[in-house]
Amino acid sequence: MDTVRVPLPDGDYDIHIDPGGLGRVGSALATHCRSTLATIISDETVAPLYAERLGRSLIDAGIEYTLMTIPPGEPSKSLDMASQLYDELAAARHARNAPIIALGGGVVGDLAGFVAATWHRGVPFVQCPTTLEAMIDAAVGGKTAVNHRLGKNLIGAFHQPLFVMVDPDTLVTLANRDYTAALAESVKHAVISGEAFLAWHEQHASDLRQHDLSYVPELIRRNCEIKAAIVAADEREQSESSVGRAALNFGHTIGHAIESSAEYKLRHGEAVALGMVGEMELAVRCMGFLNSDRLRIERLMDALGLPLTSGIKEISLVYENLFVDKKAMSDRLRFVVPRGPGDMAWLDSAAKDDILHSIQWIVNRP
């Protein structure tokens, strides 16, 4: 088992990367809180696969549990679904010392985390991610959210987990498309962190694309280490001296606008990949980002099977959706873009024509 520590002012927590770890959640949880009751929130796809394994570990540790399930997919990340879960928590008399355990991908983790942050003004929370995207990104860092009809993740809270249990064994049931899409978040972390992780991806691109699971524990550990360091330095995106935690939004400003414009028919990682392509074009045009670095990163993305182009038709809709991004300041758009690998910066002075060109670039990229 590998363990990555996330050091925070209000208390550290661990990310355990442990094959078979779902069977050890109960014993780990018993060391963190004394409640003999817990609630598992999962979706209707994941629960039949892994809820019994997780539940058995809780029972073995003397913890009774209630299982709540939601329909899979982005539409479940809503206030309406959160309200349904509140009703179920009330019916189950879920007390303020009882933990909520998220079992699933990013949608489940974000929604369950938001519910945990707001039920009784905050109850203990545990992340058990079952998708690669959640393991390397969504389950780490304490951001929780639901979507608003105008945009993604507009309603949320910071709520750090007691711990994160990453069980790579659950990836055997992950669809190939979801596995590949998740690699976009790993490329994002590589661009943010710099040369070493970029070179590692290039060295292992073929193995990663072929879903060679022998490389997955290292992939997860490296991503978690990078994100943990960024979160520890700027937990709530309040850095004034640098981009700070906002660096993690690289690819997400345009990516979220594409995702909502496409009515969430794209995987999140696919939209982030397209967002990185568009934002790197902005960086080349406006921030002196070297075209050679852009081409290097795009070659890596292509080698991993990530999309570089899209048949986006409503360029103006994507542009309008940018204004509901959380980083937008009044009527001014803000992007986090690379000046070079490992060197991220704010771009808040891009002209509308440059932004429209960068969205169009995703469609007509040479």
Side-chain angles (χ1 to χ4, degrees):
M1 178 175 70
D2 276 343
T3 297
V4 176
R5 175 62 59 92
V6 184
L8 296 171
D10 293 334
D12 302 352
Y13 68 88
D14 290 328
I15 305 164
H16 302 296
I17 304 163
D18 182 13
L22 279 185
R24 289 180 277 278
V25 172
S27 58
L29 185 56
T31 67
H32 286 275
C33 62
R34 296 184 177 182
S35 175
T36 57
L37 299 173
T39 294
I40 300 171
I41 297 177
S42 188
D43 70 34
E44 294 162 0
T45 298
V46 173
L49 297 171
Y50 298 115
E52 182 180 358
R53 187 182 310 177
L54 172 57
R56 191 181 313 120
S57 83
L58 297 175
I59 295 297
D60 290 345
I63 303 169
E64 296 183 16
Y65 70 94
T66 300
L67 173 64
M68 302 177 185
T69 59
I70 63 171
E74 197 74 23
S76 286
K77 220 172 85 172
S78 67
L79 283 175
D80 285 344
M81 188 57 65
S83 181
Q84 291 182 41
L85 291 172
Y86 294 144
D87 290 344
E88 293 185 51
L89 289 169
R93 298 184 179 180
H94 187 105
R96 67 183 309 166
N97 69 328
I100 287 176
I101 304 169
L103 175 67
V107 168
V108 168
D110 280 359
L111 173 63
F114 178 77
V115 169
T118 49
W119 183 251
H120 289 311
R121 299 190 180 94
V123 299
F125 180 49
V126 173
Q127 284 270 25
C128 295
T130 60
T131 67
L132 186 60
E133 186 274 333
M135 291 175 183
I136 65 176
D137 186 61
V140 180
K143 279 188 174 181
T144 73
V146 294
N147 300 331
H148 185 272
R149 63 181 177 81
L150 293 178
K152 187 177 170 79
N153 296 338
L154 294 182
I155 307 164
F158 289 94
H159 193 56
Q160 300 291 353
L162 296 175
F163 62 90
V164 180
M165 181 63 79
V166 176
D167 185 346
D169 288 352
T170 61
L171 295 179
V172 298
T173 55
L174 186 66
N176 288 344
R177 182 180 177 185
D178 294 308
Y179 174 99
T180 299
L183 295 175
E185 298 287 3
S186 193
V187 172
K188 176 197 75 176
H189 289 149
V191 174
I192 293 169
S193 62
E195 177 62 30
F197 202 30
L198 269 176
W200 185 88
H201 279 82
E202 290 166 335
Q203 179 183 356
H204 299 296
S206 177
D207 301 307
L208 293 171
R209 181 166 186 168
Q210 293 173 23
H211 302 181
D212 186 337
L213 295 183
S214 64
Y215 289 94
V216 165
E218 184 176 1
L219 177 78
I220 295 169
R221 177 182 58 77
R222 282 175 172 257
N223 276 280
C224 288
E225 287 173 344
I226 290 166
K227 187 161 186 183
I230 293 171
V231 170
D234 183 22
E235 181 184 359
R236 295 175 180 261
E237 284 189 21
Q238 295 176 331
S239 174
E240 296 182 0
S241 60
S242 67
V243 171
R245 180 173 177 156
L248 296 168
N249 290 309
F250 171 51
H252 285 63
T253 301
I254 292 179
H256 280 170
I258 292 171
E259 201 172 0
S260 58
S261 299
E263 298 180 340
Y264 302 106
K265 293 181 174 66
L266 291 171
R267 300 296 194 266
H268 174 67
E270 293 167 344
V272 168
L274 296 171
M276 287 193 289
V277 171
E279 290 174 23
M280 283 192 293
E281 172 63 8
L282 260 183
V284 170
R285 293 173 69 89
C286 304
M287 296 292 284
F289 186 50
L290 294 178
N291 193 54
S292 58
D293 285 332
R294 183 253 296 278
L295 292 175
R296 177 189 181 188
I297 294 163
E298 289 184 345
R299 282 194 298 269
L300 171 60
M301 293 168 64
D302 186 52
L304 293 171
L306 293 167
L308 300 179
T309 61
S310 171
I312 298 169
K313 294 182 175 62
E314 298 291 339
I315 302 299
S316 60
L317 177 60
V318 175
Y319 178 78
E320 290 302 318
N321 282 339
L322 291 173
F323 285 92
V324 295
D325 183 82
K326 299 186 299 299
K327 296 177 293 305
M329 307 289 284
S330 185
D331 60 348
R332 180 162 53 93
L333 295 174
R334 305 188 84 200
F335 301 87
V336 179
V337 298
R339 289 183 295 212
D343 181 14
M344 308 300 293
W346 284 114
L347 171 60
D348 54 12
S349 58
K352 179 178 179 179
D353 286 349
D354 285 327
I355 297 170
L356 288 170
H357 170 86
S358 295
I359 300 170
Q360 185 69 46
W361 179 268
I362 301 166
V363 183
N364 295 325
R365 178 181 165 278

